[in-house]
Amino acid sequence: MRNRFDEQLAKLKHNLINMGAMCEEAIALAASALIDGEEATKDKVISLDSEIDQMERDIESLCLKLLLQQQPVARDLRQISAALKMITDIERIGDQASDIVEIIPALGGRTVSECEYIAQMAEATTKMVNESIEAFVQSDLSMATHVIEYDDIVDDYFDRVKKSLIHMIAENRADGEYALDLLMIAKYFERIGDHATNIAEWVEFSVTGIHRSSELNAEDNK
C-alpha cells in the first residue's frame, strides 16, 4: 500500500514539475514576444495556458485521490495540501503570461525595449517560478526562502519601471497610452513574482507545518 502511495506522490511531483515548466515556457515566450514584437507567439502562449489549466485539473484530481484513497501521514498530508494550494498560483501565472501577450497588438509595433527593466523583470520572475517548484520537489527550505526574498528585487524593478514611464510621459505626452500598456505588462510580471512567492511559502509549510501567514497573525494578536 505504501509503495503505491509513494508512486502516486512521485507522480504528483513530476506533474508539478511539468506544470511549472509550462509556466516558465509561457513567461519566456511572452518576454521574447515583447522584445521582438512578434504577435505570432500569442497563440503559442494561449495554447500553453490551456494546457496549464488542464494540468491543474489533473493534479487536483490526483491530490484528492491521494487524500481519499490513502492514509497519508502528517508530512505527506502537508505535501498534498501544499500542492493543492500551489497549483492555483501556478495556473494564475499561466493566465498572466497569456494576459501579457494579449497586450502586444496594442503596442502598435513598438516593443518594451524602451523600458529595459521590464525584460529584467521577466527574467527575474522566470527564475522565481523555476526555483519555487524546484524547492518543493527537493523540500529545500533554503531555496524557498531565497525565492521569497528575491521578490523584493522584482518589486524594485517594478518601482524603476514606474519611474521610467513617468519620465517617458513627461518628455512626450503622446506616449501616454504606450506607457500605460507597459505599466500593465510590468504589473503582470510583478504579480507573477507574488505567485512564485506564494508557492515558496507553501513549500515552507510542506516541510515545517507552519505557514508564514499564521506567524504574522500570531504577531498581530500579541
Side-chain angles (χ1 to χ4, degrees), residues 1-11 65-67 69-73 76-77 79-80:
M1 180 71 76
R2 180 68 204 189
N3 287 343
R4 174 61 177 162
F5 179 83
D6 287 340
E7 288 174 4
Q8 291 183 312
L9 202 58
K11 181 180 178 181
K65 186 183 296 183
L66 285 167
L67 289 171
Q69 296 181 0
Q70 307 291 341
Q71 294 180 328
V73 296
D76 298 329
L77 186 59
Q79 286 194 341
I80 297 166

Side-chain angles (χ1 to χ4, degrees), residues 114-128:
E114 295 173 58
C115 184
E116 62 180 304
Y117 301 116
I118 292 179
Q120 293 171 340
M121 283 187 78
E123 183 178 349
T125 52
T126 301
K127 173 183 171 70
M128 288 178 69

Side-chain angles (χ1 to χ4, degrees), residues 16-17 20-21 23-24 27 86 90 93 122-151 153-154 192-193 195-204 206-207:
L16 271 168
I17 291 171
C23 278
E24 289 176 54
I27 299 168
M86 288 165 61
I90 298 173
I93 290 170
E123 183 178 349
T125 52
T126 301
K127 173 183 171 70
M128 288 178 69
V129 172
N130 174 273
E131 291 189 356
S132 62
I133 301 297
E134 185 66 22
F136 176 76
V137 173
Q138 301 295 334
S139 297
D140 191 327
L141 280 175
S142 176
M143 188 178 292
T145 300
H146 178 260
V147 171
I148 293 166
E149 293 173 348
Y150 203 78
D151 190 45
I153 293 175
V154 174
I192 288 172
H195 289 305
T197 299
N198 290 344
I199 293 168
E201 289 178 352
W202 284 111
V203 172
E204 290 183 331
S206 73
V207 176

